[in-house]
Amino acid sequence: MPEAPKESVAENNKKKLEFIEDITSNPDHIQKQVLSEILSRNAHVEYLSRHGLNGHTDRETFKKTMPVVSYEDILPDINRIALGDTSPILCSHPISEFLTSSGTSAGERKMMPTIEEELVRRSLLYSLLMPVMSQFVQGLDKGKGMYFLFIKCETKTPGGLPARPVLTSYYKSSHFKDRPYDPYTNYTSPNEAILCPDSYQSMYSQMLCGLCQRTEVLRVGAVFASGFIRAIRFLENHWSILCHDIRTGTLNPLITDPPLREAVMRILKPDPETAGLVELECGKGSWQGIITRLWPNTKYVDVIVTGTMSQYIPTLDNYSNGLPLVCTMYASSECYFGVNLNPLCTPSDVSYTLIPTMAYFEFLPLHTSNDDNELLDLVNVKQGQDYELVVTTYAGLYRYRVGDVLRVAGFKNKAPQFNFICRKNVVLSIDSDKTDEVELQTAVQAAAGHLEPFGASLAEYTSYADTSGIPGHYVLYWELIHSGAIPIPPSVFEDCCLTMEESLSSVYRQNRAYEAIGPLEIRIVEGGTFDKLMDYAISLGASINQYKTPRCVKFAPIVDLLNSRLASSSFSPKCPKYAAV
C-alpha cells in the first residue's frame, strides 16, 4: 500500500474532532432535525399510520402519539417483512437485510430490520475512533493493528433477505472490503482471513499473520474481551504448528480456502528467527505478559470490557502486563450509538458520548413507572441518574426499548456521556426475587475471593434458575483456573455459595428465609467447558465477534452440555442473614 501523506492524516483527524465539537455543542437542535427527517421520509409507512401520527414530524406530537415498544410488539411486522412483504411497513426505504442479535441466553436471535444507508452511519462512527485515539497515543499511523475479526455464515429469510450479525454485514460491505488506504485501518489480517466463514481457518490465519508482522503491531484487539482471550488461548494450543509455518514459509494444509491461502502466502515468508522467538516465549509455561513479549511495540488492547465483560480485566492485565484496556465505541444490532472520548481512562470510568446524528434518543428513568410521557430527551438527562435507552432509527424502529441501562457520567459540551451499566433483562428469578447482571456479577466476584488463597481464580461463569425441584434454586456454573498445587477443600465452595447468597438482594434472602428458594448451588465444570459452550452457540448461529458468555442459560441443550462436564457440586450450608422489617 502507498504511504499516506502525513498532512492528510493530520487534516482528517482535525476535521473529525471538529465534527465532534460541533455536534456536541448543539445536540438538541440536531436531535430535532434527526427526528423530523426520520418522520418526514417515513410519513406514509404503515406502522406510523396505524398509530395515527398522520404525517406529523414534530417532537411533541410524536411523543403523544407513538407508543414505547419492545421487540415482541413489532415482531408481527418483522415477520411480514421476513416473509417477503415489500410494502412500506416500517420504513419507506427498502429493507436491505436483517441484523441478528447474538441471542445467547434463550437460544433465539432477534432480527432487526436495516437499510443500505445505515452502513454510511456505521462507517462515520468508525471514522471517529482513531482521530480521538490519536490525541492520546502518538504514532498510530506508523504501524498496524492486530484485530481478530470474524464473520458468520448468513442465512436468508423466506422472503430472500440476508439475516446476519451487524459486524458480518459491515465486514462484507464495500465500506469495509473496498475501503481506501487509511493508516488507521491497516490491519495484520488480510480481508480474506476476516471474511473466511470457517472460524478455525480464519483464526489460524489471523494469528499467523499477526505473528509474522509482530514488530509492526502497535495495537491489538477484538470486539469483546472474551473474543480476544479466545484468540490468545488459541495461540496457547496451536503455537507449535504456527511456528512450523513461520519457520518454513509453508501454510498448514488445514487451511483449504483458496483465496485465504493466496492472501496468507503473500505475507508468509520463511522466518526462522521469528519462529524461534515465538517458540521460546510460548514454551516458557507462563503466559504472563505474552502480548508484550510477542508484540513488543503494542501500546494498548482495544476490547470492550464494560458491563459483564469487566470480569476479564484481570486475565487481560495478566496477558498484557497491564497495558491500557481501551473501549472505543458503543453499538448494537439496533443502532450504533456513540464513542468514548477519553479512551485511556480506566475500564470502570468508561463513558460513551452518544452521537446525536445517529438516531433519535430518548431515556426512560429507571426509578419511575413505565409511563411513556416520562421519557426524557438527550439533553434533559441528569448526572448520576440511570435510564433505559429508547431509540427511533432511520431504518424503521420507533421508540424502541434497546434494553440497555445507562448512567449519566458527565457531559461533553452539551451532550451527555453515559456509563454502560447492564442489560435491563432480569437474569435470575425463582419467586419474587429478580437478580440482574450487575447484582449477579457483584455476588460472584465477592464469592470468588475465597479461591485466592489456593492459587485459583474464576475463568468463566454462568447461571441457571433450576425449578425442577421444589423450591427452585440458583445454580452457578464455574470454570476455574487452578494449578492444583494447593487443593481446594469442599468447604471453600460452600463458603462461596454462602457469600454469594449474602451478597444478593434482601428479597432473595427473604425468600430463602421463608424457604421459597432453596440453597444456592455452585457446580464446578471441567476446563474448556465454556469454549465448548461458545462453539455450540456459534453452531446455532451466534457470531464469534458478538458472542458474549450468557450470564443465564435457559436453553435445555446448553444446560445439558454444562451438566455433562460437571466436576463437583456444592450447596450453601445455611440460610443467609435476613432481618425482617
Side-chain angles (χ1 to χ4, degrees), residues 322-334:
L323 285 174
L325 304 178
V326 172
C327 303
T328 56
M329 64 182 287
Y330 170 39
S332 76
S333 300
E334 294 89 345

Side-chain angles (χ1 to χ4, degrees), residues 196 198 200-202 204-205 238 241 245 251-257 260-261:
C196 177
D198 184 295
Y200 177 89
Q201 293 189 55
S202 177
Y204 188 95
S205 301
H238 297 90
I241 56 174
D245 289 3
L251 183 56
N252 192 299
L254 288 175
I255 310 306
T256 57
D257 183 84
L260 176 56
R261 287 191 67 88

Side-chain angles (χ1 to χ4, degrees), residues 462-540:
T462 191
S463 63
Y464 172 60
D466 187 346
T467 54
S468 60
I470 300 176
H473 70 290
Y474 288 12
V475 176
L476 275 295
Y477 294 94
W478 283 15
E479 182 177 323
L480 304 184
I481 300 172
H482 184 217
S483 66
I486 309 175
I488 306 174
S491 61
V492 171
F493 293 120
E494 292 181 357
D495 292 342
C496 291
C497 292
L498 183 58
T499 297
M500 275 204 67
E501 291 200 301
E502 297 279 9
S503 303
L504 293 173
S505 70
S506 60
V507 176
Y508 173 89
R509 287 179 281 117
Q510 179 185 33
N511 278 313
R512 278 281 282 120
Y514 289 95
E515 298 184 350
I517 298 177
L520 184 143
E521 179 184 6
I522 291 177
R523 298 178 184 175
I524 305 301
V525 295
E526 299 167 357
T529 295
F530 280 83
D531 284 340
K532 290 190 177 296
L533 180 61
M534 178 174 178
D535 292 339
Y536 181 73
I538 290 167
S539 76
L540 292 183

Side-chain angles (χ1 to χ4, degrees), residues 442-458 478 492 496 499:
T442 299
V444 167
Q445 287 175 335
H450 291 290
L451 303 174
E452 292 175 7
F454 303 92
S457 60
L458 188 61
W478 283 15
V492 171
C496 291
T499 297

Side-chain angles (χ1 to χ4, degrees), residues 370-422:
N370 292 342
D371 184 339
D372 295 356
N373 293 324
E374 293 174 346
L375 267 69
L376 302 179
D377 289 314
L378 181 64
V379 296
N380 293 330
V381 296
K382 305 297 182 189
Q383 185 149 354
Q385 298 298 305
D386 291 355
Y387 301 91
E388 182 183 351
L389 179 60
V390 177
V391 296
T392 296
T393 70
Y394 286 89
L397 298 177
Y398 305 94
R399 308 197 89 188
Y400 178 85
R401 298 175 70 162
V402 175
D404 290 354
V405 176
L406 308 178
R407 178 173 298 154
V408 183
F411 291 83
K412 165 65 174 176
N413 296 324
K414 295 180 180 177
Q417 299 175 305
F418 296 90
N419 305 128
F420 176 87
I421 303 301
C422 65

Side-chain angles (χ1 to χ4, degrees), residues 564-575:
S564 73
R565 298 178 61 84
L566 185 65
S568 67
S569 174
S570 302
F571 288 88
S572 185
K574 61 183 180 181
C575 196

Side-chain angles (χ1 to χ4, degrees), residues 189-427:
S189 297
N191 283 358
E192 292 85 351
I194 295 168
L195 296 170
C196 177
D198 184 295
S199 59
Y200 177 89
Q201 293 189 55
S202 177
M203 177 75 86
Y204 188 95
S205 301
Q206 293 192 58
M207 182 61 75
L208 182 63
C209 292
L211 290 168
C212 289
Q213 302 168 84
R214 53 181 291 274
T215 58
E216 298 177 68
V217 171
L218 299 183
R219 52 200 170 99
V220 300
V223 179
F224 290 111
S226 54
F228 186 75
I229 289 171
R230 184 173 174 86
I232 299 300
R233 288 183 179 162
F234 183 92
L235 177 61
E236 288 188 47
N237 294 327
H238 297 90
W239 61 265
S240 180
I241 56 174
L242 287 161
C243 286
H244 174 272
D245 289 3
I246 297 169
R247 175 173 285 106
T248 61
T250 60
L251 183 56
N252 192 299
L254 288 175
I255 310 306
T256 57
D257 183 84
L260 176 56
R261 287 191 67 88
E262 184 180 337
V264 173
M265 289 308 298
R266 287 197 294 267
I267 296 169
L268 181 62
K269 306 294 181 218
D271 189 349
E273 183 181 349
T274 293
L277 185 142
V278 174
E279 280 180 333
L280 177 67
E281 295 298 340
C282 292
K284 286 181 176 176
S286 170
W287 283 71
Q288 181 175 357
I290 195 67
I291 294 169
T292 50
R293 283 154 51 193
L294 293 181
W295 296 279
N297 299 316
T298 304
K299 299 186 177 186
Y300 62 88
V301 181
D302 186 350
V303 288
I304 293 173
V305 287
T306 50
T308 58
M309 287 290 132
S310 64
Q311 65 158 318
Y312 298 108
I313 291 171
T315 304
L316 289 169
D317 284 341
N318 180 62
Y319 282 148
S320 72
N321 263 344
L323 285 174
L325 304 178
V326 172
C327 303
T328 56
M329 64 182 287
Y330 170 39
S332 76
S333 300
E334 294 89 345
C335 179
Y336 278 30
F337 301 119
V339 298
N340 179 5
L341 297 182
N342 183 22
L344 292 188
C345 66
T346 61
S348 59
D349 291 331
V350 169
S351 66
Y352 301 101
T353 303
L354 298 198
I355 302 300
T357 56
M358 300 302 292
Y360 177 64
F361 302 116
E362 295 179 272
F363 300 87
L364 181 62
L366 279 194
H367 59 274
T368 60
S369 64
N370 292 342
D371 184 339
D372 295 356
N373 293 324
E374 293 174 346
L375 267 69
L376 302 179
D377 289 314
L378 181 64
V379 296
N380 293 330
V381 296
K382 305 297 182 189
Q383 185 149 354
Q385 298 298 305
D386 291 355
Y387 301 91
E388 182 183 351
L389 179 60
V390 177
V391 296
T392 296
T393 70
Y394 286 89
L397 298 177
Y398 305 94
R399 308 197 89 188
Y400 178 85
R401 298 175 70 162
V402 175
D404 290 354
V405 176
L406 308 178
R407 178 173 298 154
V408 183
F411 291 83
K412 165 65 174 176
N413 296 324
K414 295 180 180 177
Q417 299 175 305
F418 296 90
N419 305 128
F420 176 87
I421 303 301
C422 65
R423 292 287 294 170
K424 191 170 187 295
N425 301 340
V426 170
V427 173

